[in-house]
Amino acid sequence: AFEIYPDVAAKAFPGCLASLYLRRTKDEGTWMRRIAIGLGMMVSVLAAPAAAMTFMKVDYVCPIGGERFSARTMGSGTSFGHFLDGRAYGAIKSPWPLVQCPGNGFVIFRETFSADEVRVLDAYVQGEEYRRMRESETSYWLVSRLMQAIDAPADEQAGVLQRATWQASPAQYPRYVAAAAAAFAEQCPDQRPAARRDQRWLHCQMILGEWERRLSRFDAARARFTSLQPQVAALVVGEDSERNARQFRAEIAQQLQLIEQGDNADTVAVDANAPAHRSAEAATQESAAAAQAAAQAADAAAAAGGRRD
């Protein structure tokens, strides 16, 4: 059985439009399936039937405290697309549900931990702060605090915080986004030199712009997306770059339209590579090309007439 675990925009590989991938863990012989964060995320869980979301009863041993229990666990899911903040939609729960130990409330986000990490986490989950948060915070927010306690890599913490925003209530959302945005800003700083920018930087920046729009910071969001728009061609390179660049350009255009409308709603991303969208795009391009050709012909005729005079 596979489980889907968090990842982060800074590690999203270039072929993000099919961003479900397998990654070898540090524990020899253990494989886990991970969902890459990114604006182009369209996940389809391997080995799952079409449009299927399945659950199964799984036996667990809590990594902290050793409690044995069983929990209903999602085994597979299928995404039909994604929202502009990266959350998948379809026959799938997004973010992927995490299992929580019934006794101490520890959220299982990894299969194994070092002895030092177990000591730190055991003390933390027994503390007043974690006990209090269990009553009101989401599972991915709890994971972000657990990861902070063991000083997990900053990019992984950023990915978990992004997923926490997908779970947030309206009251929690501004606070969760503030934490996630601060973590993402460290991964893709606005002032990174152009030579060091890449497609992963672009993914991350677009998530930051989405959060600005969702919090009605329309001027900041407009400035960010306007700045990103001309950079797509240079940053989206490699295999399937044409398809990926088309998606990025479409989402940036969609964001700018939403911003002009003063719309801060959670919004499904346009699928720029869907046949209907491609047909409309092709028609627009053909119309533009025809208009350009007509203008050039008119200019040539005018120039010829001037020479005759």
Side-chain angles (χ1 to χ4, degrees):
F2 290 101
E3 290 185 47
I4 293 182
Y5 286 78
D7 206 64
V8 68
K11 288 187 176 178
F13 63 95
C16 67
L17 289 175
S19 61
L20 185 68
Y21 65 102
L22 295 171
R23 179 181 174 197
R24 186 95 172 162
T25 64
K26 294 181 180 178
D27 301 313
E28 186 175 358
T30 301
W31 291 79
M32 65 178 65
R33 188 175 295 171
R34 317 187 92 197
I35 297 178
I37 294 176
L39 268 289
M41 186 179 73
M42 295 193 297
V43 180
S44 179
V45 176
L46 299 178
M53 179 167 58
T54 63
F55 292 85
M56 62 188 74
K57 184 178 180 180
V58 179
D59 295 325
Y60 292 91
V61 177
C62 189
I64 307 301
E67 179 184 17
R68 294 181 178 274
F69 64 99
S70 298
R72 187 169 180 263
T73 304
M74 190 161 81
S76 67
T78 303
S79 171
F80 306 133
H82 63 280
F83 289 82
L84 288 168
D85 64 358
R87 178 168 58 92
Y89 75 87
I92 190 171
K93 287 185 176 294
S94 184
W96 196 268
L98 300 177
V99 174
Q100 195 165 8
C101 302
N104 58 22
F106 180 78
V107 182
I108 302 177
F109 64 95
R110 217 164 69 193
E111 293 181 337
T112 60
F113 298 89
S114 69
D116 286 342
E117 288 173 335
V118 169
R119 282 193 291 271
V120 171
L121 291 170
D122 185 48
Y124 186 68
V125 299
Q126 300 301 330
E128 179 60 31
E129 180 182 70
Y130 192 81
R131 290 172 181 268
R132 184 178 67 253
M133 289 192 300
R134 284 179 59 187
E135 303 299 321
S136 58
E137 305 294 356
T138 68
S139 61
Y140 276 86
W141 184 265
L142 293 178
V143 170
S144 76
R145 305 301 295 174
L146 293 168
M147 294 181 79
Q148 186 179 65
I150 60 173
D151 196 25
D155 57 355
E156 294 183 12
Q157 293 188 47
V160 168
L161 285 166
Q162 182 196 26
R163 282 164 172 75
T165 68
W166 301 346
Q167 297 178 307
S169 69
Q172 291 169 327
Y173 191 77
R175 175 165 55 92
Y176 280 27
V177 165
F184 265 61
E186 292 183 4
Q187 301 301 314
C188 57
D190 295 346
Q191 302 308 316
R192 176 172 291 174
R196 294 182 54 216
R197 297 178 182 180
D198 56 16
Q199 184 170 319
R200 290 170 292 186
W201 179 87
L202 178 61
H203 290 171
C204 183
Q205 281 280 312
M206 289 176 69
I207 291 289
L208 288 171
E210 163 67 359
W211 286 330
E212 288 167 340
R213 181 186 68 83
R214 293 289 303 283
L215 294 178
S216 298
R217 297 176 56 199
F218 295 120
D219 289 342
R222 182 185 298 105
R224 187 180 301 277
F225 284 113
T226 300
S227 173
L228 294 176
Q229 199 166 34
Q231 300 185 58
V232 172
L235 298 181
V236 182
V237 298
E239 185 180 357
D240 219 12
S241 59
E242 181 179 350
R243 179 183 179 86
N244 292 346
R246 187 182 299 114
Q247 183 65 32
F248 280 115
R249 287 194 297 268
E251 291 190 19
I252 290 173
Q254 182 182 12
Q255 289 280 17
L256 288 171
Q257 182 178 17
L258 290 169
I259 291 164
E260 290 309 309
Q261 294 169 349
D263 189 342
N264 65 358
D266 193 13
T267 303
V268 173
V270 62
D271 182 357
N273 293 292
H277 191 281
R278 292 290 307 280
S279 297
E281 181 183 54
T284 300
Q285 291 175 346
E286 289 174 3
S287 177
Q292 183 178 17
Q296 290 173 344
D299 289 343
R307 287 194 297 271
R308 284 193 298 271
D309 293 340

